[in-house]
Amino acid sequence: MSRIQNIKIAPSILAADFARLEAHAREAGEAGADWLHVDVMDGRFVPNISFGPVAVRALRPLANETNTLLDVHLMIEDPDRYLEDFAAAGADRLTVHVEATRHSHRTIQAIKDLGVKAGVTLNPATPLVMLEEILPEVDLVLIMSVNPGFGGQRYIPGSTDKIRRLRRLLDDVNPTAWLEVDGGISPANAGEVVGAGATVLVVGSAVFGGPKSVAENVADLRTAVGQ
Ligand code: DX5
Ligand code: ZN
């Protein structure tokens, strides 16, 4: 099945300079980023705490101005408690961990009922079979290529095979769903990840960190995936 989707770049604002979040996120939007990835962490599902709906609300105006979408990754226990808050704050996508909700089919329906695109994600050690029954229902699947909780980690090499296997499953049951990959992505491995079937790349430290500008980093990623 040939995919017509062009590759989306989704900078993770967790890696941005929080002393000037609006300016840094705007740089990413103006550099041509497609989505802004918002990593929500509760200190329970992952060993780190980040931010909540207030960050989505703060970013909503600049997302409108820069024509980017707010791609919210909920690394929180029992995410059903906060779906309405994140939808009201302006999330365009809400992605939940299968490990964090008892009834993922109902959660996916609840997100869609809020008028938000519904995503599901799984930790590196969680097998794809956990997604099998809900794969036809989702708008996106996020593959964690690092253990969730922190930016700046190394890409787990076995992720590429997992992406390839998921690509085959999606081509069968849900070919228009986005296949998003998250963690340790850089120009050095972006080509490999897209070649395995990814259509959205979450990139934190390789966009907002390092000596180059955000615009140069985004351009390097586009070059690496040939778009
Ligand atoms: C990790 C987050 C990732 C992370 C990506 O729990 O889900 O989105 O911020 O950052 P890098 O690209 O630096 O690995
Ligand atoms: Zn993330």
Side-chain angles (χ1 to χ4, degrees):
M1 176 106 195
S2 69
R3 284 183 308 284
I4 53 172
Q5 290 164 314
N6 60 350
I7 303 305
K8 309 278 184 211
I9 305 289
S12 165
I13 62 153
L14 185 72
D17 176 354
F18 266 69
R20 56 186 200 94
L21 177 61
E22 202 272 355
H24 223 185
R26 186 176 294 277
E27 273 182 64
E30 289 171 355
D34 301 285
W35 303 357
L36 291 176
H37 187 77
V38 184
D39 282 312
V40 178
M41 301 177 182
D42 65 357
R44 286 178 55 214
F45 182 71
V46 290
N48 194 3
I49 297 175
S50 59
F51 31 71
V54 65
V56 175
R57 194 176 307 282
L59 290 167
R60 186 68 256 169
L62 87 87
N64 295 338
E65 289 159 23
T66 58
N67 196 24
T68 48
L69 296 170
L70 297 181
D71 173 42
V72 180
H73 176 192
L74 295 175
M75 287 164 275
I76 64 175
E77 290 293 351
D78 189 9
D80 294 76
R81 297 170 296 157
Y82 295 105
L83 301 179
E84 286 183 34
D85 292 348
F86 280 101
D92 293 295
R93 283 130 180 68
L94 281 172
T95 296
V96 297
H97 274 264
V98 284
E99 304 93 345
T101 171
R102 290 183 192 282
H103 306 285
S104 47
H105 184 279
R106 183 165 65 196
T107 303
I108 292 295
Q109 294 309 318
I111 294 171
K112 289 176 155 184
D113 291 347
L114 289 165
V116 178
K117 295 294 185 191
V120 67
T121 181
L122 65 182
N123 291 331
T126 304
L128 286 173
V129 68
M130 288 290 286
L131 302 181
E132 209 162 303
E133 305 306 326
I134 52 169
L135 221 40
E137 313 291 331
V138 299
D139 297 302
L140 77 88
V141 181
L142 174 66
I143 290 268
M144 289 308 299
S145 41
V146 295
N147 287 298
F150 301 91
Q153 300 179 81
R154 279 175 44 76
Y155 177 85
I156 296 171
S159 308
T160 305
D161 178 62
K162 192 173 187 179
I163 296 164
R164 213 173 274 125
R165 285 182 281 119
L166 175 59
R167 181 72 269 159
R168 282 198 292 272
L169 289 172
L170 283 176
D171 284 351
D172 272 351
V173 300
N174 191 348
T176 59
W178 288 289
L179 199 170
E180 186 173 19
V181 180
D182 187 5
I185 303 294
S186 75
N189 60 17
E192 171 193 337
V193 168
V194 166
T199 52
V200 185
L201 302 179
V202 176
V203 190
S205 43
V207 164
F208 291 114
K212 290 186 173 182
S213 72
V214 167
E216 286 165 331
N217 289 332
V218 172
D220 287 351
L221 285 161
R222 292 267 185 235
T223 303
V225 300
Q227 290 198 3

